[in-house]
Amino acid sequence: MTSKELFERAQIFIPGGVNSPVRAFKSVGGTPVFFREAKGSIMIDVEGKEYIDFIGSWGPMILGHSYPPVLDALKNAADRSTSFGAPTELETNIAELICEMMPGVDKVRMVNSGTEACMSAIRVARAYTDREKFIKFEGCYHGHADAFLIKAGSGAITLGVPNSPGVTSGTAKDTLLARYNDLAQVEEILTNNKDEVAAIILEPVAGNMGCIPPKEGFLEGLRKLCDQHGVVLIFDEVMTGFRLSAGGAHKRFNIQPDMVCMGKVIGGGLPVGAFGGKEEIMNMVAPLGPVYQAGTLSGNPLAMSCGYTLLKELNDDPAIFEALEEKTAYLEKGMRQVFDKYNLKVCINRLGSMISFHFNIDEVVNFDDACAADADYFKKVFHGMLKRGVYLAPSAFETLFIARTHSKELLDKTIQALDETIQEIEA
Ligand code: KE4
């Protein structure tokens, strides 16, 4: 069957034909590609067409798809049952490794998604501070828990309103919104909500409005404000964790958050999430502390085995991160040369192995900028590249992920495909 036929069939039984909205190509149009298998940085669709993959399952495939050691760990674990619902040494091993790799984590609790990690971290921070409100940033995504599906209300940006039906105004009132990279606004919100804010949660490098690195001093400023106001600083490193360094963004920037949310890489592609942080905060979590949090499949042996295998290699071989930096810088340079060749105004944002590009705009430092970029041009580029066998994220509000398996040959092919695509669009 073709992707088109499979998509028609999928829509009979699955809302929108997908199990996560971004996969439906809604923001770029066209029919989503159905895949059959992937190895390294190549994905093969149901019709046998090959694509150079820049999604990497949205981050986990940092060492490429079907990475043999990960597959071996999976098969090995599966032979001994797929789940116990009881403690295993595997969970302690990966928890110990995460605490070793992440400076901001003394203790960690496994969950089953990034959403669960972020919603649990907010609950713990509220209990720890005995406060109810928290600040998030417009354009940052922390999963689909009600408290995060909030958009800026009319007028003062800080008044949150539900961003999805089903989210109540009661929930929205405790979520305050600020502009990413706008420290002054955060200070104003804290002043206007004195002693009411439990936490500030953010992606230390934003990856859900395209890639937006923190401005100089932004993270340091948030740390200082949190110390001044007794607020828990939560870094959502579901995407950046173990990607921007062996200890995530906070190790790279040398900033100490109070809590860290994790996901993606720590499961090697299997369903996983985790939240961790300072011992005194994490000791609030049941059964040790009063904050209830639980999960039937939390710490699942398959996910733990795959995640541990990946993390161990990332921790043992720092050269991986240098290689990822070089590959992504090479890709950025090639893309810039193509955009300059056609005199296109494009903002390329990159940090480590996260890269994105926004058209017809000089710089993108927050969500407003990302929204002002030319999404139609992005659509054309997306489909031009897809046609030429390059699978970019099907949304201008996503980040591309580079893997160790993106060889120079594959990157050159990508740059060539971009040149042909832009030439075709500009003709
Ligand atoms: P999940 O619940 O989807 O495992 O994780 C939510 C999440 C939390 N925090 C950050 C920084 C994230 O990027 C995510 C999920 N990332 C998106 C990609 N932008 C997942 C893709 C999707 O929704 O299908």
Side-chain angles (χ1 to χ4, degrees):
M1 290 176 90
T2 65
S3 286
K4 191 169 182 318
E5 289 163 338
L6 287 173
F7 189 46
E8 280 160 12
R9 182 164 162 256
Q11 291 176 82
I12 300 167
F13 304 104
I14 306 170
V18 292
N19 282 308
S20 198
V22 70
R23 303 176 193 170
F25 278 24
K26 274 258 182 280
S27 74
V28 291
T31 301
V33 179
F34 279 60
F35 288 97
R36 187 182 65 207
E37 60 185 290
K39 183 133 187 69
S41 286
I42 298 296
M43 292 221 286
I44 302 172
D45 75 9
V46 289
E47 295 166 64
K49 180 175 175 181
E50 292 192 357
Y51 299 80
I52 303 170
D53 172 34
F54 285 93
I55 294 185
S57 180
W58 303 101
M61 304 306 168
I62 192 167
L63 298 186
H65 287 278
S66 307
Y67 182 48
V70 168
L71 295 191
D72 291 346
L74 176 61
K75 291 167 193 162
N76 192 297
D79 284 343
R80 297 197 300 276
S81 178
T82 52
S83 175
F84 302 100
T88 63
E89 186 181 2
L90 283 169
E91 295 159 83
T92 308
N93 293 344
I94 194 169
E96 183 181 35
L97 182 55
I98 288 172
C99 293
E100 181 194 323
M101 294 173 78
M102 283 223 162
V105 178
D106 299 335
K107 280 187 176 176
V108 60
R109 167 61 61 86
M110 285 292 162
V111 294
N112 298 284
S113 70
T115 296
E116 261 195 275
C118 295
M119 68 183 235
S120 306
I122 291 291
R123 183 183 307 142
V124 173
R126 283 172 162 160
Y128 178 72
T129 58
D130 193 20
R131 299 175 182 176
E132 296 188 352
K133 293 179 178 174
F134 75 94
I135 296 171
K136 76 174 289 287
F137 293 87
E138 271 220 298
C140 281
Y141 180 67
H142 306 294
H144 65 89
D146 284 6
F148 301 127
L149 298 184
I150 307 295
K151 65 183 177 207
S154 55
I157 189 176
T158 56
L159 293 178
V161 295
N163 195 17
S164 161
V167 176
T168 66
S169 50
T171 299
K173 71 175 177 39
D174 290 329
T175 303
L176 304 174
L177 281 154
R179 260 183 302 279
Y180 198 76
N181 278 319
D182 188 340
L183 209 50
Q185 191 180 43
V186 174
E187 185 154 22
E188 183 192 352
I189 296 170
L190 289 171
T191 306
N192 296 343
N193 296 272
K194 194 141 189 55
D195 300 335
E196 294 184 78
V197 176
I200 293 176
I201 186 169
L202 77 155
E203 298 173 58
V205 174
N208 286 286
M209 34 183 165
C211 173
I212 299 185
K215 276 183 175 172
E216 189 67 34
F218 181 58
L219 299 179
E220 294 79 355
L222 289 177
R223 179 66 275 169
K224 224 159 89 192
L225 285 172
C226 285
D227 292 341
Q228 286 166 352
H229 292 265
V231 170
V232 174
L233 180 59
I234 304 173
F235 277 9
D236 175 353
E237 295 230 36
V238 167
M239 193 185 274
T240 56
F242 312 105
R243 170 163 286 280
L244 296 185
S245 87
H250 72 274
K251 183 169 187 179
R252 185 182 179 112
F253 291 120
N254 194 23
I255 300 270
Q256 188 79 359
D258 301 307
M259 296 184 81
V260 184
C261 302
M262 294 157 264
K264 298 180 191 282
V265 169
I266 66 171
L270 272 76
V272 74
F275 64 98
K278 287 179 179 157
E279 184 163 6
E280 61 177 301
I281 299 176
M282 290 304 291
N283 285 349
M284 297 287 291
V285 181
L288 182 59
V291 180
Y292 196 69
Q293 185 281 325
T296 305
L297 296 174
S298 297
N300 172 273
L302 306 188
M304 298 299 98
S305 299
C306 293
Y308 183 85
T309 303
L310 209 44
L311 290 184
K312 190 87 179 59
E313 182 150 354
L314 295 172
N315 194 38
D316 293 349
D317 183 5
I320 290 173
F321 295 99
E322 287 150 33
L324 290 174
E325 292 277 343
E326 279 161 31
K327 290 171 188 287
T328 317
Y330 183 82
L331 178 64
E332 178 185 10
K333 185 162 169 273
M335 286 182 161
R336 178 55 71 199
Q337 284 168 346
V338 170
F339 295 143
D340 289 350
K341 177 177 170 185
Y342 296 97
N343 299 315
L344 293 185
K345 181 159 71 171
V346 184
C347 166
I348 302 178
N349 280 347
R350 174 176 79 83
L351 201 134
S353 58
M354 293 168 63
I355 183 170
S356 67
F357 38 87
H358 297 268
F359 294 100
N360 285 336
I361 193 162
D362 287 314
E363 71 164 2
V364 175
V365 298
N366 59 36
F367 187 57
D368 294 342
D369 294 346
C371 293
D374 187 339
D376 286 338
Y377 202 93
F378 177 87
K379 271 185 209 173
K380 292 175 190 158
V381 171
F382 173 82
H383 282 289
M385 295 292 268
L386 192 69
K387 182 169 71 176
R388 294 173 173 84
V390 177
Y391 192 60
L392 303 178
S395 160
F397 292 87
E398 297 290 352
T399 294
L400 304 185
F401 298 100
I402 305 302
R404 182 169 64 178
T405 45
H406 279 112
S407 62
K408 187 171 176 300
E409 183 204 359
L410 291 181
L411 295 175
D412 285 338
K413 276 184 181 169
T414 302
I415 295 160
Q416 177 58 31
L418 183 64
D419 192 318
E420 292 168 13
T421 296
I422 303 294
Q423 186 182 32
E424 184 181 56
I425 296 169
E426 295 295 305

